[in-house]
Amino acid sequence: MPVSPATSTIETADQRRAAWMAAAQAGDRVAYEKLLADSIPLIRAAARRQGVARDHVDDVVQETLITVHRVRHTYDPSRSYEAWLNAIASRRAIDALRSRGRRDSRELHDAFALDRHPDVDDASAASERQQDAQRLRAAIDELPQGQREALEQLGLRERTLAEAAEQTGRSTGSLKVNLHRGLKSLRRHFNREP
Amino acid sequence: MSHAPRHETLIHALGAGLVPVRRLPPPWLRTLGWLLVVAALAVALLWRYGTGIAMERWQASPDMGWATAGAVLTAICAAWAAFVSGMPGRRAIWAWLPLPPALLWIGASGLGCLRSWVEPAAQLTRTHPAPDCLYFILAFSIPLSALLIWLLRRACPLRPVLTAVLIGLASAAASASLLEICHAYGAAATDLLTHAAAVAVVVAANAAMGGRLLSRH
């Protein structure tokens, strides 16, 4: 039966990898690194066939490469390298899916978590946040007018430099300098607090 | 590819740690090694008990001869299948290889038991405490299972529980075969049930413990 060029190419690639692995088993580092690099697309394909999400395929590649390194003595060069690698990659892909499944089953979804596990410190946390805001407001009020305006316009109201310049009648350069000085003053003020 | 440098780094690290390795011997060779130990035990039992007991039993109930042949073949096929299952890339269908001899073993034992009811004359007259068979199979299965697990220490069983089940089946079948040498009793339902219970215990214990021992990869 005539061998089609495609079949011939596949056989040659598998035979080449088998020869590289035989050399790697004897300690040939160059052949080994070539083989591992050449194996990555095969591992990716095996992982995708098992249904591993695109984001996690590279984790399966890493795990499979490590396993290949650990069990390279189990490869028989008279047999298909691709079948050997595919079996290992498929197993690592299944392990990854199982491990992800276990992790997902332990994690709570946001809505469920909020519903079942309300934050017991909600009231006290809100009160604390309010006190922090008051302290910040008081500290800003003590700043010189230029710095106060820059912080109010750019920091609190989140206006652009152009909008703030229009509101205050100051240049953008002056606003930037005052914002910088204002933030420095606030940092100094709060670092001083016990 | 965003992860290419990560793979490249790993490949270089693995390449740097590369040392020559000794290839795993083929499954048939390791099976032969294990069978030699079983054969040595058989020789020791034959030296102690002779061939008379087994011959008498087989003449009284020829089905037991077929059952013994089934048990021996089950042990050989299950051990070979266990070694094959430790080689990645081998076809999973080989795990079913012990099934036909196991059916012969179970079927012939059951038939012998049935015949002993229909033709009581064929039954040997001696009675014996059934637990002896249980202890014999368990006592021989433990070292034979341990030996198989040790022979598989460098293998890569990707389905460790399946490999462990095959180990349990091989060692239980080998122990039941060895029992034939010194088992001077006819086919009886209690005897058959005791053997079945012993095999089940050995397979289950291997699946539970052997699976963990073999799941390093």
Side-chain angles (χ1 to χ4, degrees), chain A residues 25-29 32-33 37 44 58-59 61-62 65 69 71-74 77 79 83-84 87 91-92, chain B residues 1 3 6-7 10-12 14-16 18-24 87-90 154 156 158-159 217:
Chain A
Q25 286 174 329
D28 183 339
R29 182 179 172 174
Y32 188 49
E33 291 188 5
R44 282 182 200 281
D58 284 297
D59 294 338
V61 171
Q62 295 265 309
L65 290 176
H69 182 73
V71 303
R72 61 191 186 281
H73 62 279
T74 66
R79 292 183 171 269
W84 181 81
R91 180 48 51 179
R92 290 293 87 102
Chain B
M1 195 65 65
H3 289 281
R6 189 177 149 209
H7 298 326
L10 177 64
I11 288 170
H12 286 317
L14 296 176
L18 187 73
V19 287
V21 286
R22 190 167 47 88
R23 255 176 236 145
L24 211 55
M87 308 284 276
R90 298 294 179 97
R154 291 180 66 229
C156 177
L158 294 173
R159 292 183 183 84
H217 302 296

Side-chain angles (χ1 to χ4, degrees), chain B residues 57-58 60-74 99-117 180 186-189 191-192 195:
Chain B
R57 180 171 149 88
W58 293 342
S61 178
D63 296 319
M64 290 298 104
W66 285 109
T68 307
V72 171
L73 287 172
T74 302
L99 187 65
L103 288 176
L104 173 66
W105 178 21
I106 296 163
S109 301
L111 202 64
C113 183
L114 196 68
R115 259 194 243 280
S116 71
W117 283 340
E180 285 298 312
D191 202 49
L192 180 64
H195 290 198

